[in-house]
Amino acid sequence: MERRILGDTGISVSELALGTMMFGSWGNPDRQEARTVIGMALDAGINLVDTADIYGEGGTEEIVGEALKGRRDDVVLATKFHGPMGPDPNHRGNSRRWIMRAVEESLRRLGTDHIDLYQVHGVDPDTDIDETLSALSDLVRAGKVRAIGTSNFPADQLVEARWTAERRGHVHFRSEQPAYSILSRSVEMHVLPTAQRHGMGVLAWGPLSAGWLSDRDATPGKGRTVLEPQRFDPTVPANAAKARAVSRLRALAAEAGMPLTRLALGFVQAHPAVTSVIIGPRTVDQLNGLLAGAGTVLDDEILDRIDEIVPPGSDLNPADNHAVRRLLADTARRRRPGPRGTARKAAHR
């Protein structure tokens, strides 16, 4: 499997990375099968394993740690912090207080003394980026973390973090992990060019767009259709548009002599900013199907036809833009407070 250097870190990573969100209570609860999938991925040449503390409420990190026993030195291990790890509001976010606790808990669950890539799993509007970078820099200097990165950061936040790191003498972010697929291309506008300009590696997640670009249809009432119904409800016009696009993409893949999943992976791999594409199999069969997409090169004709189906820089369903959706979820952050501290109601016209 082809290797690439992650940004300016000097760390060599495989063109496909193993995402582990589907191992544990969020996906496949069979821990033995999950460990088998991880071992098979490593045997196939994947050397980057990506997880997060929030996956399975910590259970996924434990599974990863068990699977990597005896193989830890051969793996670039990445995890993330930021999401809520319990009801206490101090057990989440990007504050120094939480980072210092979160990293120790991740190290314990993963059964390791260091994390190769420690990523901020989202923007925290309540915490100064200077505080976050200061804490992460201390972890790098202490040897507990080798490099730091971001996930789901908009371009302006990447630039602000770079500016802050340079002026305050902090370690800077070396990678960004955005959602990127044929159906969700808005990161092409600003995020990917910004990462390229600043020498950041890009670990693209969601290349199959939550199953829309897989070789099977989503099962109603299960998995993501329950967790994120706004992305699957067929009565939503944006989802109807996705269904029409997927139909045309299936036809294009068949014409090119490849399964839709391979077309989807080849598309993401084609972008010059992308270092590695994160695949997220739940079972051994799914892993085998995805591994076939390694090394896929789409010619200009196919890429041009994909552009005709889904215009560059566009999201067919805005709800698929994970970063923007999270930032706009709290209405208080975009409405001037009223006289009693509540958001003003829109005036009737």
Side-chain angles (χ1 to χ4, degrees):
M1 187 174 295
E2 182 183 340
R3 294 286 190 91
R4 299 166 183 166
I5 299 300
L6 182 64
D8 58 4
T9 65
I11 300 172
S12 174
V13 298
S14 48
E15 62 181 307
L16 294 183
L18 181 66
T20 62
M21 188 177 75
M22 289 292 100
F23 300 151
S25 62
W26 284 20
N28 186 349
D30 187 334
R31 296 171 75 101
Q32 180 55 52
E33 183 172 24
R35 291 193 293 267
T36 298
V37 171
I38 294 172
M40 290 178 62
L42 300 183
D43 291 341
I46 289 178
N47 80 324
L48 173 57
V49 177
D50 180 76
T51 189
D53 57 4
I54 196 174
Y55 299 164
E57 293 75 40
T60 301
E61 285 187 326
E62 293 176 353
I63 292 171
V64 170
E66 293 167 1
L68 295 185
K69 287 180 179 178
R71 308 187 71 168
R72 174 66 184 90
D73 289 344
D74 300 324
V75 172
V76 177
L77 181 57
T79 192
K80 300 181 283 291
F81 70 91
H82 168 80
M85 294 295 286
D88 189 327
N90 284 323
H91 293 178
R92 67 189 70 183
N94 303 344
S95 69
R96 171 179 284 271
R97 184 180 191 276
W98 176 237
I99 290 171
M100 293 306 181
R101 174 170 176 177
V103 72
E104 295 296 341
E105 294 185 353
S106 285
L107 289 169
R108 173 182 55 79
R109 288 189 291 260
L110 291 166
T112 186
D113 63 357
H114 72 279
I115 295 165
D116 295 302
L117 180 64
Y118 200 37
Q119 302 157 105
V120 189
H121 210 169
V123 174
D124 180 357
D126 295 323
T127 304
D128 191 328
I129 190 64
D130 179 54
E131 168 156 339
T132 302
L133 285 168
S134 174
L136 292 173
S137 296
D138 287 347
L139 293 179
V140 172
R141 292 170 183 133
K144 295 183 178 182
V145 170
R146 299 296 190 254
I148 60 174
T150 57
S151 180
N152 305 315
F153 267 48
D156 68 299
Q157 295 294 312
L158 294 177
V159 173
E160 181 175 349
R162 186 81 177 196
W163 184 95
T164 302
E166 289 178 354
R167 284 154 180 77
R168 300 298 179 88
H170 300 319
V171 174
H172 61 80
F173 291 126
R174 303 298 189 91
S175 64
E176 159 59 11
Q177 187 180 136
Y180 183 37
S181 74
I182 295 176
L183 302 181
S184 184
R185 303 182 58 176
S186 61
V187 292
E188 295 173 341
M189 290 286 289
H190 302 294
V191 173
L192 298 184
T194 297
Q196 275 186 293
R197 191 163 58 249
H198 292 292
M200 300 176 70
V202 172
L203 309 176
W205 68 270
L208 302 187
S209 194
W212 278 88
L213 299 172
S214 69
D215 295 310
R216 68 189 190 285
D217 295 325
T219 304
K222 291 186 177 181
R224 290 182 182 271
T225 63
V226 175
L227 295 173
E228 302 177 290
Q230 72 279 10
R231 300 179 66 185
F232 295 92
D233 185 348
T235 66
V236 175
N239 289 333
K242 286 201 295 187
R244 291 191 295 270
V246 169
S247 179
R248 295 176 65 187
L249 290 167
R250 285 188 192 278
L252 176 59
E255 184 180 331
M258 64 179 68
L260 180 58
T261 52
R262 188 174 171 189
L263 181 78
L265 291 174
F267 168 81
V268 178
Q269 288 174 311
H271 198 288
V274 173
T275 309
S276 186
V277 182
I278 299 174
I279 57 173
R282 191 175 65 254
T283 65
V284 168
D285 287 343
Q286 289 179 9
L287 173 66
N288 287 328
L290 291 167
L291 286 174
T296 298
V297 177
L298 304 181
D299 61 32
D300 288 344
E301 181 183 355
I302 293 178
L303 292 171
D304 288 343
R305 291 180 65 181
I306 290 175
D307 289 347
E308 293 172 1
I309 297 171
V310 181
S314 66
D315 292 326
L316 292 186
N317 184 349
D320 290 339
N321 191 318
H322 191 74
V324 172
R325 190 173 78 242
R326 290 176 64 180
L327 286 171
L328 297 181
D330 184 357
T331 59
R333 300 197 183 281
R334 52 188 170 82
R335 296 180 185 175
R336 190 182 299 277
R340 295 185 179 179
T342 58
R344 292 179 177 175
K345 295 182 179 180
H348 293 288
R349 296 180 182 270

